[in-house]
Each structure stands twice: as structure tokens, then as C-alpha cells.
Amino acid sequence: MMDPRIQALPIGVWLLMAFIAIVLLFTVISLLSLYAQYRRWRSFAACLPLAPICYFLAQAFLVLRTPKDPRGQAYYALRELVLAPPPWVPAAVLLALTLLTALLWRRMLRWTHGHISPTSVKEAVDSLPVGICCFRPWGRVVLVNTAMEALCRAALGEVLINGERFRRALAEGALQPGCSRATLNGERLLLLPDGSVWSISKQSLDWEGEPLTVLTAAEVSEAYRKTLALEEKNRQLVELNQKLAARNREIVDLTIQSEILAARARLHDAMGEDLLMMKKLLSHGGSAKDLDTLRRRLKRNVSFLRDASEFQVTDEYAVLLQTARRLGVRVELSGELPLEEPICRVAATGLHECLTNLLRHAHGDLLRIELRETRDRLTIVFSGNGEPPKGPVRETGGLRILRTITEQAGGTMRVSRSPCFTVTLNLNKEKPYAV
């Protein structure tokens, strides 16, 4: 026979309260697991007593329908726990537990929204395009994201379980077929079969009093391809510059030969004038100054025409200085002429152009070359005697070419005509271009 105290409430109400107690029990267990996961041990300790209370209430409500058995003393205790007080008391206790559990759950939700949890950290790390792997010195992985896991499978063909083994495999080159390593600007790269290129870096940290190794992998495929393309273009540019420098040397050599031939032709014409002057002096006589002038002209012209051998162009400076001596021009050199390209080409071109202008326009016989050098700059000043320009100097022909190659070599050029015709070249010795 059913206890009349049970009949104070319909049996469905008792079963509903039992169901609510079971739901509260699982809710409290979930809260406890979250507190443990987030290491909120004080909240865990405060919430822990609710679990047995909900469990015993659920059991007490469920055993009300069980017939009274003298042998089940536990049943007596549970039944009396619920039936001893008025019926509204267990209902009020259950309502209070429900409100308390709801409050705790609400606080937990608010706390998780304002704090970073391990789950959120893992989700954020997995969303990164950069591979990350954190492991202890003995290889136990603490954190690894999906990008690094995919990289490990592509490079080693296995799941990333031991971080130290993964690092050693990358360092020693024990990779899958189709994978390779490369070095670019001192940085080690990993090339995968799909064409992607990854840069692997290592960093050692101290976390929670223990050493931690962090491997990061960043994809640099586009930068790698652009760098290789740039290196190829630079190589082609160097080859082109070398070809241009060779062609320029040939042009200068041909120009020198042309100037020499033109000078010889002019001297042949001058020999006729010398012969006419000799005839005039022999017939009518002349002053000592006229004789001295004729003697110097004959000595210069005969000396130049007597040597019919061709120049062997091995050193541009030597050829130009030899040509100047043959043409009766004295060269005063202060400093050492540069030998490295491209400033050597600029200096040789400037020497040739100033020698030509001295003979053709100034009618002089002295060319001064002054070189002033610092750590990264070289200044070359060409000047001479003879007649100064009567008007502004127009940069045409050789002067325009000289200015062009000077600026291509990263330098500047300045031309002045007072008190004498002067060309000043300021060259940057560290400029990497070839003329």
C-alpha cells in the first residue's frame, strides 16, 4: 500500500522533480569539468557539493514508487529524506538548486566570453596560415595547428607526434621523395612537391619553468619565385653590362685609332706648310724665333710620322698617354688613374675627350690630370693650357657621351671655361653598374 504522504502530490509531480534533479546533476557535472579545464579551482570546490545533493534527490524521488522493503534500509533513508518534511520543502529545495545552478552556469558563460580558453586558442591557432608547433625538449607536443600538421604529412609522410623528431628530420633532410631543401639569402627553405616553399624558424622559450621549443613555418612561395626571377635578371644584366663594356672599349679603341689617323693626315698637310716655311727661310731668311718654331714643328711631326707601327691596344691609359706624347702633348698626372670598372672606362673616356679638345680647339701642349680620392668618392679634374673657349661650352659629340656614361656610373660632370677649359668628374666608387 502506497504511503499516504506520497499521495499528497500526484506521482507525476514526483517524477518531474526526479527528472529535474537528474538534469541538474548532469549540469553540475558539466560545470565541474569546465572549472577543471579552465583551472578555476575555487569555483570547482564551491560547486562540488551540489553534485551529491542532486544525485541523492534524484534517487529519493525515484524510489518513491518502489514498494517499502524492510530489507532496504537505504530506501527508508531516502524516502524519509523527502517525505519527512511537508511536500513543498523538497520542491523548494529543488527550485533553489535549479536557480543556483542556472546562476553558476550564467556566470561561467559570462566568464568564458571575457577570457581566452584553451579551446579558443586552439581554434585561433588553427585558423592561421602559418604553421606552429610547440614541444618540450624530449619531443612531447604541447600545441600544434593544422597548417603544421599538413606540412609534416607532406614532408615526412606521417602525423606529427614527436616535435623533436620532426625538427631533426627537417634539419637533416630526411624528407619524402619530391621534397627538397634550399638556401636563399642565408635562410633555409623547404620545397614541397606541390610547388610551395616554406621557411622554417626555431625559437627556444621558457614556459611554466620548463624549456619549450617553438617551430614556425611560413609559406614564402611567391617571394622565393620572385627572388629567383630577380637573380636571373641580375645575372642577365651583368652579362649585358659586360658585353656593353666590351663594346664600349672597342668603340674607344676605334675612336683612338681614328683620331690617330686624322692626326697623321693633318700632320702630312702640316709638312707641306713646313716645307714652304723652310723654302721661305732659305730664300729670304728669318728671325731666330721663326727658326726655333720651325725646328719644334719639324721635330714633332717627323717624330710622329717616322713610327709607322700600329698601336697594340692592351692598356687604354698607355695608349692615350703614348698618343699624347706622339702628338707633342705633355701630360701632368697627379694621383693614380683608377683601374676598376666602371670608373676606369669613364676616366679613359674623359682623358681621350680632353686630349682631343686640347689639340683641336685649344691648340695647347699641356694636359693636367688631378685625382682626389676619398673612401667612396673619386674626383678627376682635367685641365690644360692653350686658348680658352671664347663662348659658352656646348656639350655635343664627345662631351655629351662623356656626361652620359658618367651619369650611368652614378657620377656627375661639371664643365667650366674660366680661367681655362676644365672638366671635373665626381664618381661614386661603390656604384655597381657597368658602363
Side-chain angles (χ1 to χ4, degrees), residues 25 119 121 171 173 183 238 260 262 312 318 346 380 395:
L25 175 62
T119 303
V121 171
T183 303
V238 170
I260 292 173
Q312 185 69 26
V346 178
I380 308 176
E395 296 185 10

Side-chain angles (χ1 to χ4, degrees), residues 69 80 83 103 117 173 177 239 263 293 353 386 435:
D69 188 354
E80 291 301 323
L83 298 178
L103 178 62
S117 65
E239 294 179 356
T293 301
E353 180 60 26
V435 179

Side-chain angles (χ1 to χ4, degrees), residues 258-272:
S258 176
E259 291 292 337
I260 292 173
L261 292 176
R264 286 180 175 179
R266 288 194 299 270
L267 288 174
H268 274 287
D269 296 337
M271 287 297 295

Side-chain angles (χ1 to χ4, degrees), residues 136-157:
R136 294 298 186 185
W138 50 90
R140 183 176 68 86
V141 176
V142 177
L143 175 65
V144 60
N145 66 345
T146 54
M148 187 64 85
E149 290 177 348
L151 180 64
C152 181
R153 286 193 297 270
L156 306 183

Side-chain angles (χ1 to χ4, degrees), residues 185-259:
N185 298 328
E187 183 180 4
R188 291 185 176 181
L189 304 176
L190 175 64
L191 283 67
L192 298 182
D194 60 357
S196 61
V197 182
W198 294 80
S199 172
I200 312 296
S201 60
K202 172 190 171 185
Q203 186 179 9
S204 298
L205 303 175
D206 185 78
W207 184 58
E208 294 186 348
E210 296 183 6
L212 183 72
T213 302
V214 180
L215 288 182
T216 56
E219 186 176 3
V220 292
S221 305
E222 189 66 22
Y224 178 73
R225 285 190 287 269
K226 288 183 177 179
T227 303
L228 291 183
L230 181 61
E231 289 183 349
E232 177 63 21
K233 290 182 179 180
N234 287 338
R235 185 188 63 80
Q236 296 176 358
L237 182 60
V238 170
E239 294 179 356
L240 179 60
N241 285 340
Q242 292 174 351
K243 293 179 180 179
L244 291 176
R247 297 294 182 270
N248 194 34
R249 284 192 292 270
E250 294 176 2
I251 293 173
V252 172
D253 296 338
L254 291 175
T255 305
I256 292 173
Q257 298 295 339
S258 176
E259 291 292 337

